[in-house]
PDB file of all heavy atoms in Angstrom:
ATOM      1  N   ASP Y 231      16.537  22.853  -7.444  1.00  0.00           N
ATOM      2  CA  ASP Y 231      15.839  22.047  -8.494  1.00  0.00           C
ATOM      3  C   ASP Y 231      16.245  20.468  -8.317  1.00  0.00           C
ATOM      4  O   ASP Y 231      15.567  19.654  -8.799  1.00  0.00           O
ATOM      5  CB  ASP Y 231      16.256  22.448  -9.895  1.00  0.00           C
ATOM      6  CG  ASP Y 231      15.654  23.760 -10.292  1.00  0.00           C
ATOM      7  OD1 ASP Y 231      14.417  23.906 -10.059  1.00  0.00           O
ATOM      8  OD2 ASP Y 231      16.406  24.655 -10.812  1.00  0.00           O
ATOM      9  N   LEU Y 232      17.429  20.298  -7.603  1.00  0.00           N
ATOM     10  CA  LEU Y 232      17.862  18.930  -7.465  1.00  0.00           C
ATOM     11  C   LEU Y 232      17.316  18.246  -6.187  1.00  0.00           C
ATOM     12  O   LEU Y 232      17.481  17.037  -5.942  1.00  0.00           O
ATOM     13  CB  LEU Y 232      19.454  18.926  -7.368  1.00  0.00           C
ATOM     14  CG  LEU Y 232      19.962  19.484  -8.729  1.00  0.00           C
ATOM     15  CD1 LEU Y 232      21.576  19.686  -8.470  1.00  0.00           C
ATOM     16  CD2 LEU Y 232      19.799  18.613  -9.880  1.00  0.00           C
ATOM     17  N   GLN Y 233      16.744  19.049  -5.329  1.00  0.00           N
ATOM     18  CA  GLN Y 233      16.384  18.567  -3.963  1.00  0.00           C
ATOM     19  C   GLN Y 233      15.305  17.418  -3.866  1.00  0.00           C
ATOM     20  O   GLN Y 233      15.526  16.310  -3.360  1.00  0.00           O
ATOM     21  CB  GLN Y 233      15.872  19.721  -3.008  1.00  0.00           C
ATOM     22  CG  GLN Y 233      16.954  20.706  -2.707  1.00  0.00           C
ATOM     23  CD  GLN Y 233      16.513  21.852  -1.889  1.00  0.00           C
ATOM     24  OE1 GLN Y 233      15.372  22.361  -2.010  1.00  0.00           O
ATOM     25  NE2 GLN Y 233      17.402  22.287  -0.978  1.00  0.00           N
ATOM     26  N   GLY Y 234      14.245  17.619  -4.699  1.00  0.00           N
ATOM     27  CA  GLY Y 234      13.284  16.563  -4.723  1.00  0.00           C
ATOM     28  C   GLY Y 234      13.721  15.241  -5.369  1.00  0.00           C
ATOM     29  O   GLY Y 234      13.593  14.213  -4.774  1.00  0.00           O
ATOM     30  N   PRO Y 235      14.381  15.326  -6.497  1.00  0.00           N
ATOM     31  CA  PRO Y 235      15.034  14.080  -7.048  1.00  0.00           C
ATOM     32  C   PRO Y 235      15.934  13.393  -6.178  1.00  0.00           C
ATOM     33  O   PRO Y 235      15.965  12.121  -6.027  1.00  0.00           O
ATOM     34  CB  PRO Y 235      15.700  14.564  -8.336  1.00  0.00           C
ATOM     35  CG  PRO Y 235      14.884  15.757  -8.748  1.00  0.00           C
ATOM     36  CD  PRO Y 235      14.496  16.461  -7.476  1.00  0.00           C
ATOM     37  N   ALA Y 236      16.752  14.211  -5.409  1.00  0.00           N
ATOM     38  CA  ALA Y 236      17.733  13.636  -4.496  1.00  0.00           C
ATOM     39  C   ALA Y 236      17.058  12.844  -3.323  1.00  0.00           C
ATOM     40  O   ALA Y 236      17.421  11.815  -2.916  1.00  0.00           O
ATOM     41  CB  ALA Y 236      18.741  14.667  -3.972  1.00  0.00           C
ATOM     42  N   VAL Y 237      16.019  13.638  -2.719  1.00  0.00           N
ATOM     43  CA  VAL Y 237      15.284  12.890  -1.632  1.00  0.00           C
ATOM     44  C   VAL Y 237      14.585  11.661  -2.116  1.00  0.00           C
ATOM     45  O   VAL Y 237      14.636  10.580  -1.510  1.00  0.00           O
ATOM     46  CB  VAL Y 237      14.280  13.893  -1.026  1.00  0.00           C
ATOM     47  CG1 VAL Y 237      13.299  13.184  -0.059  1.00  0.00           C
ATOM     48  CG2 VAL Y 237      14.934  15.118  -0.388  1.00  0.00           C
ATOM     49  N   PHE Y 238      14.025  11.686  -3.335  1.00  0.00           N
ATOM     50  CA  PHE Y 238      13.408  10.528  -3.869  1.00  0.00           C
ATOM     51  C   PHE Y 238      14.371   9.311  -3.928  1.00  0.00           C
ATOM     52  O   PHE Y 238      14.131   8.204  -3.383  1.00  0.00           O
ATOM     53  CB  PHE Y 238      12.843  10.814  -5.283  1.00  0.00           C
ATOM     54  CG  PHE Y 238      12.497   9.546  -6.063  1.00  0.00           C
ATOM     55  CD1 PHE Y 238      11.461   8.756  -5.601  1.00  0.00           C
ATOM     56  CD2 PHE Y 238      13.195   9.229  -7.212  1.00  0.00           C
ATOM     57  CE1 PHE Y 238      11.147   7.528  -6.375  1.00  0.00           C
ATOM     58  CE2 PHE Y 238      12.795   8.134  -8.004  1.00  0.00           C
ATOM     59  CZ  PHE Y 238      11.835   7.289  -7.553  1.00  0.00           C
ATOM     60  N   LEU Y 239      15.537   9.500  -4.505  1.00  0.00           N
ATOM     61  CA  LEU Y 239      16.555   8.522  -4.707  1.00  0.00           C
ATOM     62  C   LEU Y 239      17.193   8.070  -3.342  1.00  0.00           C
ATOM     63  O   LEU Y 239      17.711   6.943  -3.242  1.00  0.00           O
ATOM     64  CB  LEU Y 239      17.685   8.932  -5.656  1.00  0.00           C
ATOM     65  CG  LEU Y 239      17.312   9.022  -7.108  1.00  0.00           C
ATOM     66  CD1 LEU Y 239      18.466   9.560  -7.936  1.00  0.00           C
ATOM     67  CD2 LEU Y 239      16.778   7.661  -7.687  1.00  0.00           C
ATOM     68  N   ALA Y 240      17.008   8.945  -2.365  1.00  0.00           N
ATOM     69  CA  ALA Y 240      17.631   8.552  -1.051  1.00  0.00           C
ATOM     70  C   ALA Y 240      16.588   7.873  -0.144  1.00  0.00           C
ATOM     71  O   ALA Y 240      16.939   7.330   0.954  1.00  0.00           O
ATOM     72  CB  ALA Y 240      18.069   9.890  -0.266  1.00  0.00           C
ATOM     73  N   SER Y 241      15.333   7.844  -0.623  1.00  0.00           N
ATOM     74  CA  SER Y 241      14.247   7.334   0.235  1.00  0.00           C
ATOM     75  C   SER Y 241      13.772   5.952  -0.222  1.00  0.00           C
ATOM     76  O   SER Y 241      14.177   5.384  -1.221  1.00  0.00           O
ATOM     77  CB  SER Y 241      12.960   8.281   0.058  1.00  0.00           C
ATOM     78  OG  SER Y 241      12.394   8.062  -1.219  1.00  0.00           O
ATOM     79  N   ASP Y 242      12.933   5.349   0.728  1.00  0.00           N
ATOM     80  CA  ASP Y 242      12.404   3.975   0.402  1.00  0.00           C
ATOM     81  C   ASP Y 242      11.445   3.985  -0.813  1.00  0.00           C
ATOM     82  O   ASP Y 242      11.145   2.941  -1.346  1.00  0.00           O
ATOM     83  CB  ASP Y 242      11.573   3.517   1.657  1.00  0.00           C
ATOM     84  CG  ASP Y 242      12.520   3.186   2.833  1.00  0.00           C
ATOM     85  OD1 ASP Y 242      13.732   2.898   2.596  1.00  0.00           O
ATOM     86  OD2 ASP Y 242      12.120   3.144   3.962  1.00  0.00           O
ATOM     87  N   ALA Y 243      11.073   5.081  -1.250  1.00  0.00           N
ATOM     88  CA  ALA Y 243      10.197   5.239  -2.430  1.00  0.00           C
ATOM     89  C   ALA Y 243      10.913   4.815  -3.664  1.00  0.00           C
ATOM     90  O   ALA Y 243      10.251   4.512  -4.652  1.00  0.00           O
ATOM     91  CB  ALA Y 243       9.735   6.788  -2.573  1.00  0.00           C
ATOM     92  N   SER Y 244      12.242   4.670  -3.565  1.00  0.00           N
ATOM     93  CA  SER Y 244      13.089   4.254  -4.789  1.00  0.00           C
ATOM     94  C   SER Y 244      13.773   2.968  -4.611  1.00  0.00           C
ATOM     95  O   SER Y 244      14.742   2.733  -5.206  1.00  0.00           O
ATOM     96  CB  SER Y 244      14.047   5.448  -5.101  1.00  0.00           C
ATOM     97  OG  SER Y 244      14.913   5.523  -4.068  1.00  0.00           O
TER      98      SER Y 244
END
Side-chain angles (χ1 to χ4, degrees):
D231 288 314
L232 303 169
Q233 291 181 322
V237 169
F238 165 63
L239 289 178
S241 74
D242 289 337
S244 62

